[in-house]
Amino acid sequence: MQKTAVERLSNESALSPQELALAELIATTLNLETRPSDIDPEAPLYGAGLGLDSIDILEIALAVSKTYGIRLRSDDGNNQKIFTSLRSLNQHIQQFRAS
């Protein structure tokens, strides 16, 4: 049975368990009023979307480093891609945890 476009879209915007854990880390670290489960995994982290600024991104990088043991460097040329969204940040974390 094929999924409808609405079902596919709903599944794409649903948080995986790892994404939810990361959303909780971000919400706690930044004292966000947004519930972690309400964070759209595809929404931009920086600027529009969650409306985070560069200081918020640095705080997230530090929290991710402490929590997951992954070093995120400020001079990494991939930072714009890594911090595009919750989903892209989670994919980066999972990629490094698997290796």
Side-chain angles (χ1 to χ4, degrees):
M1 184 169 154
Q2 289 188 330
K3 293 182 178 181
T4 66
V6 172
E7 289 172 321
R8 283 192 304 274
L9 182 59
S10 176
N11 287 340
E12 290 173 8
S13 64
L15 291 170
S16 71
Q18 295 92 357
E19 289 169 342
L20 182 57
L22 181 57
E24 289 170 352
L25 176 66
I26 291 170
T28 301
T29 299
L30 301 177
N31 296 316
L32 298 179
E33 293 182 16
T34 304
R35 291 183 357 205
S37 60
D38 289 341
I39 296 175
D40 179 352
E42 294 292 336
L45 291 177
Y46 190 80
L50 277 183
L52 305 182
D53 61 23
S54 58
I55 301 299
D56 294 327
I57 298 296
L58 288 172
E59 288 185 52
I60 292 170
L62 181 60
V64 165
S65 295
K66 287 182 177 180
T67 303
Y68 297 102
I70 295 171
R71 185 146 184 198
L72 297 168
R73 299 175 47 100
S74 62
D75 61 350
D76 187 332
N78 291 319
N79 278 342
Q80 187 172 356
K81 179 182 173 191
I82 293 168
F83 287 96
T84 297
S85 66
L86 176 71
R87 183 153 287 152
S88 63
L89 178 56
N90 180 63
Q91 288 170 346
H92 181 76
I93 292 168
Q94 298 310 317
Q95 178 183 18
F96 276 89
R97 291 182 81 191
S99 57

